[in-house]
Amino acid sequence: MQALRPWRHIERRKSRQIMVGNVPVGGDAPIAVQTMTNTPTEDADATLAQIRAAAEAGADIVRVSCPTEESTAAMPRICKESPVPIVADIHFHFKRGIEAADAGAACLRINPGNIGSEARVKEVIAAAKANGCSIRIGVNGGSLERHLLEKYGEPCPDAMVESALDHARILEDHGFDQYKISVKASDMFLTVAAYQQLAEATDAPLHLGITEAGGLRTGTVKSSIGMGSLLWAGIGDTIRVSLSADPVEEVKVGFEMLKSLGLRTRGVNIVACPSCARQGFDVIKTVEILEQRLAHISEPISLSIIGCVVNGPGEAALTDLGFTGGGKEAGKMFVSGRPDHNVSNADMVDHIVDLVEKRAELMRAEKEAAE
């Protein structure tokens, strides 16, 4: 039978599944959202506070940098108290990877361009095996191996994919298959081309990202274009939106990206018009307030906020709740796609928040009853 609205269907690339702690990555698992702390890891209190904030925003996995012995010394507490699995970010010092695995990290991120010889990688693999860790092979366009730069002249898709597959073979040769791969660059075109090529060459799960994408606005746009095109093509099993911004913002943008593609459904999805002279209320201000007041809702609820009756009823027919302006200092409230009652502009924000919270509470109760 043909799917409803087949033009919205995304056929995800078939990959094998690995585990990052208790989070499945790849296969038919939901695409996991990841971020990274920017606190000094040795400050366990500050790092855990940031991890908890990211988890509250919806992060499935959080990466923590481990550049020093002091940082890995804090990892046992961080890994134990974290509400989500922790990925230890390892560069240059392979011993930090061993220490992080022993400390309880769920995954080790190693960079082929700077982790060192195969003998060192072998020791990291042994530690991962002994502690039930997975590994991410994290290729970066800015730190490719010297021999690949000499071979290709500059970072390019072929060089990045060759680096990734060479290190995947090392893991496989040592009997280790619990790994995922990323091939990131700040160049969006290079990144997308490398992932497209890699997706054809391996069945390993892929972690997506445009590295060093920039600040909140610029980085969001670049990431949405690059990662969005890959996700739309079915490529990607876990993502991180790399922003020069609070990690919570990375999580929010990641979820909005996945929600826009119908790949995840967390929180309130607000459909809103850009506003114009026809608006019956201040749409921009109203949406800004609603986004803030509904940020705590994790249940998937769709809400339309439209300023006039041109598109309002049509959009409201496709959302769980909707408000359409047009009356004198009042508008029409839609429930489950149907016109239901009128609400004054003065009361509409409080009224909408109340309706959303009650719907979320009902959804939670129904879920608990089903379990």
Side-chain angles (χ1 to χ4, degrees), residues 1-11 231-234 260-263 318:
M1 185 172 69
Q2 188 177 32
L4 182 66
R5 303 188 185 100
W7 57 88
R8 295 188 61 182
H9 179 66
I10 294 176
E11 185 70 33
L231 290 165
W232 201 336
S260 296
L261 292 167
L263 293 168
L318 300 174

Side-chain angles (χ1 to χ4, degrees), residues 94-95 97-98 101 108 110 115-130 135 167 169-176:
F94 75 102
K95 289 185 178 179
I98 297 170
L108 307 175
I110 58 175
I115 195 64
S117 66
E118 182 173 342
R120 290 182 171 183
V121 175
K122 182 179 178 181
E123 290 192 51
V124 175
I125 294 170
K129 281 184 176 180
I135 287 177
H167 284 266
R169 276 191 288 272
I170 293 173
L171 299 187
E172 296 276 2
D173 287 346
H174 289 91
F176 192 88

Side-chain angles (χ1 to χ4, degrees), residues 67-331:
T68 63
E69 288 185 68
E70 290 77 14
S71 61
T72 50
M75 286 292 280
R77 180 185 165 200
I78 290 170
C79 294
K80 181 179 180 180
E81 296 184 20
S82 171
V84 294
I86 296 297
V87 176
D89 194 60
I90 309 299
H91 291 276
F92 302 109
H93 302 292
F94 75 102
K95 289 185 178 179
R96 303 292 85 80
I98 297 170
E99 292 161 1
D102 290 341
C107 180
L108 307 175
R109 188 270 189 172
I110 58 175
N111 185 331
N114 60 37
I115 195 64
S117 66
E118 182 173 342
R120 290 182 171 183
V121 175
K122 182 179 178 181
E123 290 192 51
V124 175
I125 294 170
K129 281 184 176 180
N131 291 282
C133 292
S134 54
I135 287 177
R136 170 156 74 93
I137 299 170
V139 177
N140 195 302
S143 56
L144 281 171
E145 299 97 307
R146 184 179 299 174
H147 75 275
L148 291 174
L149 290 174
E150 291 173 352
K151 177 179 178 179
Y152 291 100
E154 65 174 4
C156 64
D158 285 345
M160 294 176 71
V161 172
E162 183 172 329
S163 174
L165 295 180
D166 282 349
H167 284 266
R169 276 191 288 272
I170 293 173
L171 299 187
E172 296 276 2
D173 287 346
H174 289 91
F176 192 88
D177 63 0
Q178 290 294 296
Y179 64 86
K180 54 183 176 174
I181 305 176
S182 63
V183 281
K184 298 182 182 181
S186 58
D187 182 324
M188 179 178 64
F189 297 95
L190 170 57
T191 301
V192 171
Y195 274 111
Q196 289 171 335
Q197 187 172 324
L198 182 63
E200 296 292 327
T202 179
D203 69 344
L206 303 183
H207 170 75
L208 300 189
I210 308 294
T211 196
E212 289 119 22
L216 182 57
R217 180 182 298 177
T218 301
T220 294
V221 172
K222 285 178 64 176
S223 297
S224 297
I225 294 171
M227 294 164 64
S229 65
L230 290 166
L231 290 165
W232 201 336
I235 297 171
D237 303 288
T238 173
I239 66 170
R240 185 226 174 159
V241 181
S242 298
L243 303 176
S244 300
D246 190 300
V248 167
E249 295 298 332
E250 295 188 348
V251 177
K252 290 179 179 179
V253 173
F255 260 105
E256 290 301 326
M257 196 183 300
L258 295 176
K259 283 161 62 177
S260 296
L261 292 167
L263 293 168
R264 290 288 295 267
T265 54
R266 184 186 192 277
V268 181
N269 181 32
I270 300 180
V271 176
C273 68
S275 81
C276 69
R278 293 190 304 271
Q279 65 180 351
F281 61 97
D282 190 333
V283 174
I284 294 174
K285 183 178 179 181
T286 299
V287 171
E288 182 180 353
I289 294 170
L290 285 170
E291 284 182 335
Q292 293 172 353
R293 291 190 58 181
L294 297 174
H296 65 289
I297 302 294
S298 59
E299 286 70 26
I301 296 172
S302 56
L303 169 65
S304 58
I305 304 295
I306 310 297
C308 77
V309 296
V310 173
N311 293 322
E315 293 291 352
L318 300 174
T319 54
D320 297 317
L321 298 167
F323 181 83
T324 297
K328 187 173 182 178
E329 296 301 318

